[in-house]
Amino acid sequence: MYNADMYPRLQETLELYKDYVALSSTKSLLDWDQQVYMPVQGVEFRSLQMGVLSRLSHDILMGEPLQKSLDLVKNNADLSPDEMKIVHHLTKIISKAKKIPASFQEKKTVLCSRAHAAWDEARSKNEFHLFAPYLEEMFQICREDADYLGYTDNCYDALLDQYEEGMTSADCYKLFETIKKPLTEMIHLLPKDLPEGIDRVYGKGNTQDVLKTHKEILEDIGFDLKKGRLDTATHPFCSDISPSDVRLTTRVIDYIYSSYSSMLHEAGHGMYEQNIDEKWNGTPIAGGVSLGFHESQSRFWENVIGRSAGFWKKYYSKVQSSYPMLEAVPLEKWLRYTNIAKPTSIRVESDELTYNLHVLIRFEIEIAVLNHEIKVKDIPGAWNEKMKNYLGIVPKSDREGCLQDVHWSVGSIGYFPTYTVGNVLCYQIFEKMKNDIDHIQDYLDSANYRPIFHWLCKNIYQFGKYYKPKELIQKVCGEDLNPKYFLKAMEQKYLNV
Ligand code: MG
């Protein structure tokens, strides 16, 4: 847990906080188990367990002992800079938690579970009206949430700040304004039909075989399997139980490339969590700084590395041995398959070029509904119109349109822009890395990722939440978030300029 010698003046505070950390990580473990192993009928008892753990951890955070101990140390003039940082973060966590009344939190939790069930049914039946009343309530509860949290200009800012501290809707508008036109123009320039024989490759593979290759790749790129593991789940995710117990999941489905890209994506999240300086263990500085930064890491390994020639030169023969039908697909063709840009209705299946426009659609709709500019019942129409305008296609159904994502049903309104922050930041970081690492192209060509991994540890991973997201972008890149590197990379890749 925490290193008592490093923070002599915070011993009592961190000792109390330790229980909160342990309970929160137990919740993560139970959630991981629910998604990986738990039998279907275990759900009711699991909800009870989760509810009790939530209550206990909330009680510790809000309790008098932690508050008193924090008040005492706050006035201590001898705190070291690191101790001051910990006190600052802890104070922030507690004051944020205090803004939300327990009764409201409970109301939101209940709504989330009902709305999620309604969304599930609406999606499978392709009937938006079954979800609409819950979504209406969800937007209303998020408006109230924003009022509790507080904001200056737009209630969206309070919601977004929970995921990307310091980012506002004005920042989002600016970011999307910069990328929207170049991206839609590039999409219009894409060939209408893909060259013959170029499409996704589907096939049946042996799961154990595929996972064995995944583990080899994970060790090669820097994920420590002694401090983590890999399993399968329907929706891949990364769960950090503790810095020495980081669990990745992937899925082995018929779309072959998808299992490799999921594994690399989650490994990016996992390597970040495994490599935060140990001195922050058990303190509120532990963990990745924001969802956008986290996603920049997952997208780096998924897109920059996982779609590169060097990577597949090294690993493609192993993929072929798991999928015998790939014997007929030469490496060069596989590389083209993994770098296709083609508008699709489904966000999670979209390529790098079109992905951010899917996010833009969600952002514009969220903000319009929150601010009463459009009604929930009009979402399907607005969605399809935007799809047509930005991506040139209209989803076949709401199931493939506005019902596709889980986020709104679980109250995650204001979350989507962090995906675009990650996509854009990933290339900005890559640019800096290219300047810093001599002969980086040689390393990329030979799939030797050690120098890259060490650069990321040194410049990003180790800091945890020490800096604010905007400060860390400045520290790493020497400028604010700038989408020009992403746009340049997309042009080079898809328009060959
Ligand atoms: Mg992710």
Side-chain angles (χ1 to χ4, degrees):
M1 205 24 110
Y2 67 93
N3 186 335
D5 298 338
M6 287 204 67
Y7 313 110
R9 286 155 290 260
L10 300 187
Q11 296 236 359
E12 194 197 310
T13 314
L14 288 174
E15 192 58 30
L16 291 162
Y17 184 67
K18 184 182 76 179
D19 292 359
Y20 172 77
V21 174
L23 288 169
S24 304
S25 104
T26 309
K27 276 198 310 187
S28 304
L29 179 61
L30 290 186
D31 177 62
W32 171 86
D33 173 74
Q34 183 163 353
Q35 297 192 58
V36 176
Y37 280 124
M38 194 188 78
V40 192
Q41 299 217 347
V43 71
E44 208 178 313
F45 191 71
R46 181 55 44 91
S47 309
L48 173 72
Q49 293 172 309
M50 292 292 260
V52 172
L53 287 172
S54 293
R55 179 163 44 79
L56 292 176
S57 58
H58 186 261
D59 287 352
I60 293 171
L61 211 52
M62 297 288 103
E64 220 174 280
L66 184 58
Q67 189 64 65
K68 268 192 178 161
S69 128
L70 196 56
D71 287 343
L72 268 176
V73 290
K74 257 186 211 165
N75 302 321
N76 187 332
D78 298 329
L79 293 184
S80 70
D82 283 354
E83 286 176 326
M84 277 197 276
K85 203 76 170 177
I86 293 173
V87 168
H88 171 77
H89 272 257
L90 203 45
T91 309
K92 205 167 67 180
I93 294 170
I94 294 174
S95 76
K96 200 173 154 196
K98 274 189 178 161
K99 287 179 181 173
I100 311 284
S103 58
F104 175 81
Q105 195 52 51
E106 207 179 313
K107 194 168 92 175
K108 189 174 175 185
T109 309
V110 172
L111 175 62
C112 286
S113 103
R114 288 168 57 216
H116 183 262
W119 165 77
D120 214 18
E121 192 191 350
R123 191 172 77 129
S124 71
K125 292 184 175 165
N126 188 34
E127 291 185 37
F128 179 75
H129 69 95
L130 296 175
F131 179 45
Y134 296 92
L135 188 54
E136 185 82 55
E137 243 185 282
M138 192 60 86
F139 272 100
Q140 182 50 34
I141 219 160
C142 285
R143 287 183 200 105
E144 288 170 41
D145 209 352
D147 288 341
Y148 284 124
L149 292 165
Y151 57 89
T152 318
D153 296 322
N154 197 316
C155 72
Y156 196 85
D157 299 349
L159 303 175
L160 175 61
D161 190 76
Q162 300 176 96
Y163 310 112
E164 198 64 30
E165 190 189 353
M167 193 176 195
T168 62
S169 52
D171 293 327
C172 291
Y173 279 121
K174 200 174 135 208
L175 173 61
F176 284 118
E177 234 8 85
T178 319
I179 60 174
K180 183 163 133 182
K181 198 162 164 263
L183 286 179
T184 41
E185 280 172 6
M186 277 189 254
I187 289 165
H188 280 110
L189 290 173
L190 289 174
K192 285 280 162 279
D193 294 305
L194 294 166
E196 206 181 326
I198 299 294
D199 209 342
R200 294 173 166 187
V201 205
Y202 294 86
K204 295 254 177 265
N206 176 305
T207 302
Q208 289 318 313
D209 229 31
V210 174
L211 292 183
K212 193 169 154 257
T213 307
H214 280 359
K215 285 178 187 167
E216 275 178 52
I217 297 174
L218 285 173
E219 297 236 279
D220 285 354
I221 64 174
F223 184 81
D224 187 346
L225 282 163
K226 291 188 290 305
K227 294 179 176 176
R229 49 179 293 129
L230 176 73
D231 296 272
T232 54
T234 318
H235 303 288
F237 64 99
C238 167
S239 181
D240 50 310
I241 316 296
S242 81
S244 22
D245 184 357
V246 177
R247 305 186 181 201
L248 314 178
T249 56
T250 184
R251 56 180 172 190
V252 181
I253 56 172
D254 290 355
Y255 174 28
I256 300 173
Y257 172 66
S258 151
S259 112
Y260 296 86
S261 66
S262 302
M263 174 272 292
L264 286 169
H265 181 102
E266 302 311 333
H269 286 305
M271 288 192 283
Y272 190 175
E273 289 296 330
Q274 279 186 338
N275 290 288
I276 288 160
D277 193 327
E278 282 178 13
K279 75 174 184 180
W280 301 122
N281 286 0
T283 78
I285 315 283
V289 67
S290 70
L291 291 189
F293 246 104
H294 240 299
E295 196 68 4
S296 77
Q297 294 315 296
S298 56
R299 297 295 262 177
F300 176 78
W301 291 97
E302 177 191 355
N303 289 330
V304 177
I305 302 299
R307 296 183 197 264
S308 70
F311 181 84
W312 289 113
K313 246 185 260 164
K314 181 163 176 182
Y315 296 110
Y316 185 55
S317 60
K318 289 186 196 285
V319 183
Q320 282 178 311
S321 65
S322 302
Y323 293 91
M325 40 82 63
L326 286 181
E327 293 298 335
V329 180
L331 171 65
E332 192 217 331
K333 220 171 188 182
W334 171 261
L335 268 172
R336 292 182 69 187
Y337 289 154
T338 57
N339 285 285
I340 294 170
K342 185 186 177 188
T344 152
S345 298
I346 308 291
R347 174 184 58 86
V348 296
E349 291 178 5
S350 65
D351 54 79
E352 288 178 280
L353 185 62
T354 53
Y355 192 101
N356 294 305
L357 295 172
H358 287 271
V359 177
L360 173 61
I361 290 169
R362 289 145 176 83
F363 167 68
E364 288 182 342
I365 289 178
E366 285 181 340
I367 217 157
V369 177
L370 277 172
N371 294 315
H372 303 284
E373 285 153 18
I374 67 167
K375 293 195 161 61
V376 163
K377 72 173 175 51
D378 298 324
I379 288 178
W383 186 285
N384 293 347
E385 198 187 315
K386 287 176 191 292
M387 281 293 291
K388 178 92 192 126
N389 290 342
Y390 300 155
L391 290 157
I393 55 171
V394 176
K396 284 199 289 269
S397 61
D398 289 341
R399 188 192 157 102
E400 291 187 12
C402 63
L403 285 173
Q404 67 181 276
D405 296 307
V406 68
H407 303 59
W408 292 344
S409 79
V410 292
S412 298
I413 291 169
Y415 183 114
F416 283 114
T418 67
Y419 289 131
T420 290
V421 172
N423 290 334
V424 164
L425 183 56
C426 144
Y427 278 97
Q428 193 174 356
I429 291 170
F430 186 39
E431 192 62 27
K432 186 68 178 58
M433 191 192 288
K434 285 194 278 191
N435 289 329
D436 284 2
I437 304 177
D438 290 336
H439 313 294
I440 190 170
Q441 196 54 49
D442 295 343
Y443 295 125
L444 291 167
D445 289 343
S446 57
N448 171 5
Y449 302 119
R450 284 290 133 167
I452 289 173
F453 171 75
H454 289 303
W455 187 94
L456 288 168
C457 289
K458 178 169 163 259
N459 290 284
I460 299 173
Y461 298 167
Q462 62 154 324
F463 298 117
K465 295 185 176 73
Y466 189 84
Y467 298 104
K468 288 181 180 164
K470 282 183 175 177
E471 289 172 354
L472 190 57
I473 297 176
Q474 270 287 347
K475 185 173 163 50
V476 178
C477 304
E479 61 179 338
D480 291 338
L481 184 68
N482 188 342
K484 80 173 182 192
Y485 309 99
F486 165 76
L487 289 172
K488 183 89 198 135
M490 292 305 101
E491 266 176 41
Q492 284 172 343
K493 190 162 178 174
Y494 294 106
L495 301 182
N496 297 315
V497 293

